[in-house]
Amino acid sequence: MSNLSRFLKQNKITKENEKFAPTASLLGEDGKPLEWEFKHITSKQNEELRENCTIDVQIKGKPNMFRQKLKTSQYLAEMIVASTVVPNLYNKELQESYEVKTPVELLYALVDDPGEFTELEAWVQKFNGFDQTIEDKVEEAKN
C-alpha cells in the first residue's frame, strides 16, 4: 500500500456515536436515567461554532482597538446541540412541551440542574477530543 493510499477516505476510521445519560430528571420505563445519543462534530463544524460564539471587545483606553473573546458558555451549549442526535433538540413538539423556541433553550430546559449540565459539558468536550489541554500535552511530552 503506497503512502498516498493510506490517506484515502475509505481507509479513515469512522467515529461511532455514543450514549450518555446527562440528567437523572428524565427516566426510562426501567427507572434508569434516559440515555441520549451523541455524534462527533467535525473540525469545520467546531470552527463555525467558535466563530459564531466569538465577539469583539473594545480594549479599554485604546479607541478602535478590539480583542476577540469566546463566549464559552454559549460555545459549549452550541457544541452539545451540534453533537446531540437523540433527543432531537430541533423538534418543534418537544420545544413546545417545554415552552422554548430554540434547541439551546430546550437543552437548558432538559438538563436544568447546573451540576448535571457542567458534567454534560465536560463529557461532550472529552467525547469530541478535547480531553487534554495543550499544556497537558506539553507536560506529557516532557515526561
Side-chain angles (χ1 to χ4, degrees), residues 44-109:
K44 183 176 181 178
Q45 287 173 306
N46 182 61
E47 194 57 35
E48 289 170 358
L49 290 173
R50 290 183 70 82
E51 284 180 21
N52 292 338
C53 298
T54 300
I55 58 171
D56 288 330
V57 178
Q58 185 167 359
I59 298 172
K60 292 181 183 176
K62 299 194 178 189
N64 300 321
M65 291 192 70
F66 297 86
R67 65 175 176 78
Q68 291 191 325
K69 179 181 184 229
L70 179 65
K71 295 169 71 176
T72 309
S73 295
Q74 179 186 351
Y75 166 67
L76 292 174
E78 295 282 354
M79 180 189 292
I80 294 168
V81 168
S83 295
T84 303
V85 176
V86 175
N88 179 357
L89 299 175
Y90 291 87
N91 182 284
K92 289 294 178 201
E93 183 181 351
L94 190 55
Q95 289 176 3
E96 287 172 3
S97 78
Y98 283 89
E99 300 176 355
V100 298
K101 297 185 186 290
T102 69
V104 171
E105 289 175 326
L106 179 57
L107 172 65
Y108 281 114

